[in-house]
Amino acid sequence: MYTAIVRDPLTSAADYIEIDKSGVINNKPAVHDGPVYICFAEHYDYWCDELGIDRSRWGWCHWGENLTLLKRLRAFLKIRQLTLDAESGARVPCMKLSWRCGQKDSWLPTLANSGRVGAYFRVLTGGRVHPGDHVSYESFSGDPLNLATITQLAFDNSLKTRDTINLLLNNEMLMRMNKWLLQRKVTTMDDKLRDGQNAWKEFRRLRVCRIVNEGGDIKSFHLGAVDGQPLATYLPGQFLTIRLPDNTIRSWTISDWDDNDVPSEYRISIRRAGVASTWMHDICDLNTILSVRSPAGRFTLDRTSVLRQIYISAGIGITPMLAMMKAHDRHPNMQTQPAIWIHVAKHGDNLPFHDEIPRFENRTFTKAIFFTKPRPSDIQGVDYDYLGRPDMEAMRMIVGAPFTWEPLGSGKMESEGSFSIASICGPPEFEASMTECLKNLGFSAPLIRSESFSASGVVLGDVEQAQPSL
């Protein structure tokens, strides 16, 4: 991972750094947009004591700060002709700091709750700073919202309402990076309130209100409530378990994404391939009543992740990927995250929903379509990108190379290809092959998620273990 936390201190009185209103001149931060990061000697002493670390092992700048102060001061600071304002932003510690200090990431909430993490300052008047310069305390702003509170709130998962966070978000002095983090937190709180609303137990009667022929032996069935009561919200990637009139039970993925507070309908998309799917294609018609369980399933989009998202599908396995990609494209927490979509189909007639794939505006999106048996009318470079199936060489080229992105919207950052979450959906052999490729490219097992589908799109595996989001 790209980081600017490793640096050497300047200690000679002849040395200096030059600072203007944008920050330290010629300094290149990795991600953060704070102009000047200041840490305090007392923080070093405190954490060495707490962690049992020999103080001599941590030289100045060990935490990646631009300036280290021997005494903590509260607000406006004066250093020679340079003036800094503390009412800028708090440092919200991340895994880079835990790595730098030799600690597990589980240390980060403890670190944040202490408030002893330094602070970001904005520059009111630029100038030069030399080691040994005297720092004077100029004035106190009187703002009751202090920087330690911001750091603590970023890690506080016990908040049930957004009132306190809204006070901070409306503060004009708050640094953009802090606003970004706190806004993500508010959105996540909203998601938790919305997810699983109106879920029901056992089976419920839903009516087929629309049927669409998608081509390639695939039909989409739109299901609405019979009783007029609201439908349950669902997570992108979840499925519906349906009992047919002959008591056959199948589970098909919801193939669309509705980000309204209450979905107006569900869409499932089924390929004709077996007895149940044939009944749906040939017998099920408008106004057919089906018995349906509340949306369920654990193979869903993680809307809290900041990693690049890779979606890999084959055949009818496109259905959960379509819902996930639509949610990724529209979700406020994922506006800067790049995406890759890899899909395998026989030919152009077997590629449904192509026009529904989001464009992922304002971020990098890579689309790689593989046709195993293209028609004469299918043109490579127009209708598809690769002939055959994705092998190790193709996967290394598409997902294995480092990529550049702007995780906080404040500066570009380069990450290894494996700094991604990969979601795989398709036949079991396809799932196993793609998982093996990703592991060979350095992807760790927790960052590879998969779900197996039958040829018709039935969710395979232990469906009973996937509980509705009540």
Side-chain angles (χ1 to χ4, degrees):
M1 181 191 290
Y2 182 60
T3 179
I5 200 171
V6 181
R7 59 181 70 201
D8 295 320
L10 302 176
T11 55
S12 168
D15 292 329
Y16 65 89
I17 59 174
E18 190 148 3
I19 297 175
D20 62 17
K21 289 196 173 182
S22 63
V24 181
I25 295 175
N26 296 324
N27 179 57
K28 187 178 181 183
V31 177
H32 303 302
D33 65 339
V36 178
Y37 173 46
I38 291 181
C39 199
F40 307 96
E42 65 180 59
H43 293 181
Y44 278 69
D45 297 336
Y46 176 86
W47 286 115
C48 283
D49 265 354
E50 285 288 308
L51 301 173
I53 292 172
D54 182 347
R55 181 65 184 81
S56 65
R57 288 175 52 195
W58 283 4
W60 302 126
C61 297
H62 186 81
W63 284 41
E65 70 268 22
N66 305 118
L67 300 174
T68 313
L69 301 188
L70 299 185
K71 182 179 180 181
R72 185 171 184 176
L73 299 170
R74 298 179 67 187
F76 292 107
L77 308 181
K78 186 80 172 179
I79 310 171
R80 296 195 182 201
Q81 73 272 35
L82 175 75
T83 311
L84 302 176
D85 177 10
E87 302 302 323
S88 176
R91 178 169 190 175
V92 179
C94 65
M95 57 186 142
K96 296 179 183 180
L97 184 54
S98 56
W99 163 79
R100 180 67 168 155
C101 294
Q103 305 301 310
K104 294 180 179 179
D105 289 349
S106 56
W107 174 57
L108 295 176
T110 301
L111 178 61
N113 285 333
S114 74
R116 294 178 171 90
V117 292
Y120 286 103
F121 284 59
R122 64 177 180 154
V123 182
L124 301 181
T125 308
R128 291 183 177 180
V129 185
H130 297 254
D133 277 351
H134 177 69
V135 182
S136 63
Y137 166 67
E138 294 291 297
S139 65
F140 175 56
S141 70
D143 194 326
L145 296 173
N146 60 57
L147 299 178
T149 300
I150 302 172
T151 303
Q152 291 160 0
L153 283 173
F155 277 85
D156 187 352
N157 293 319
S158 65
L159 292 175
K160 302 301 181 185
T161 67
R162 54 163 69 189
D163 296 347
T164 306
I165 295 179
N166 282 343
L167 285 174
L168 287 169
L169 289 174
N170 292 326
N171 192 315
E172 294 181 358
M173 303 297 289
L174 190 63
M175 188 171 67
R176 180 175 62 176
M177 180 183 66
N178 290 156
K179 285 187 177 180
W180 181 87
L181 289 166
L182 292 172
Q183 188 60 61
R184 284 181 62 87
K185 193 175 189 71
V186 166
T187 304
T188 300
M189 291 171 68
D190 291 343
D191 285 342
K192 288 180 179 179
L193 290 173
R194 176 187 180 276
D195 294 345
Q197 280 190 351
N198 307 318
W200 62 88
K201 296 181 179 180
E202 304 304 329
F203 285 92
R204 176 180 174 185
R205 286 154 54 86
L206 299 185
R207 176 183 287 111
V208 177
C209 52
R210 189 153 57 104
I211 300 175
V212 178
N213 189 345
E214 308 287 2
D217 265 347
I218 295 173
K219 279 187 178 182
S220 289
F221 300 84
H222 297 251
L223 310 179
V226 172
D227 56 14
Q229 296 300 307
L231 296 175
T233 57
Y234 61 95
L235 302 178
Q238 287 191 311
F239 56 78
L240 295 176
T241 298
I242 298 175
R243 184 170 61 200
L244 304 182
D246 65 354
N247 287 324
T248 297
I249 294 178
R250 292 290 185 270
S251 295
W252 284 294
T253 296
I254 302 171
S255 60
D256 203 356
W257 171 244
D258 188 335
D259 51 6
N260 293 318
D261 288 340
V262 178
S264 57
E265 62 182 24
Y266 301 126
R267 182 180 77 177
I268 57 173
S269 302
I270 303 171
R271 169 170 281 147
R272 182 200 298 270
V275 175
S277 61
T278 298
W279 185 91
M280 290 294 293
H281 273 249
D282 294 345
I283 307 300
C284 182
D285 58 13
L286 289 178
N287 296 318
T288 293
I289 304 297
L290 299 172
S291 296
V292 183
R293 282 188 173 180
S294 197
R298 297 187 178 121
F299 182 64
T300 62
L301 177 66
D302 181 359
R303 293 161 293 172
T304 65
S305 171
V306 297
L307 304 181
R308 179 179 67 170
Q309 300 288 322
I310 301 174
Y311 305 96
I312 305 173
S313 52
I316 196 63
I318 189 178
T319 53
M321 298 303 163
L322 184 58
M324 290 185 194
M325 285 192 284
K326 285 185 175 184
H328 177 172
D329 182 52
R330 302 201 291 259
H331 196 275
N333 280 1
M334 307 187 78
Q335 293 300 304
T336 61
Q337 288 169 247
I340 294 176
W341 177 45
I342 299 172
H343 184 71
V344 182
K346 284 185 179 180
H347 46 66
D349 192 42
N350 288 88
L351 185 58
F353 314 115
H354 191 268
D355 293 337
E356 294 188 33
I357 302 300
R359 297 180 180 273
F360 292 99
E361 302 286 353
N362 304 318
R363 77 203 90 165
T364 303
F365 175 51
T366 302
K367 182 171 65 174
I369 305 299
F370 289 76
F371 280 0
T372 56
K373 295 180 180 179
R375 304 166 300 182
S377 59
D378 291 326
I379 302 173
Q380 190 168 6
V382 177
D383 302 299
Y384 68 102
D385 304 294
Y386 300 90
L387 177 64
R389 301 179 186 276
D391 55 15
M392 192 64 207
E393 182 180 351
M395 292 293 286
R396 180 178 288 110
M397 181 173 59
I398 298 167
V399 306
F403 63 97
T404 301
W405 60 314
E406 295 188 62
L408 302 183
S410 57
K412 292 187 177 180
M413 167 180 170
E414 184 175 275
S415 296
E416 292 298 319
S418 57
F419 195 69
S420 311
I421 291 181
S423 300
I424 308 169
C425 191
E429 62 275 12
F430 173 79
E431 174 197 339
S433 171
M434 292 297 94
T435 298
E436 187 64 24
C437 278
L438 292 172
K439 287 182 177 178
N440 289 336
L441 289 172
F443 282 67
S444 61
L447 298 181
I448 305 173
R449 309 159 60 253
S450 62
E451 188 164 69
S452 295
F453 269 27
S454 71
S456 68
V458 171
V459 179
L460 302 177
D462 192 356
V463 173
E464 294 301 320
Q465 292 296 315
Q467 300 298 321
S469 302
L470 293 173

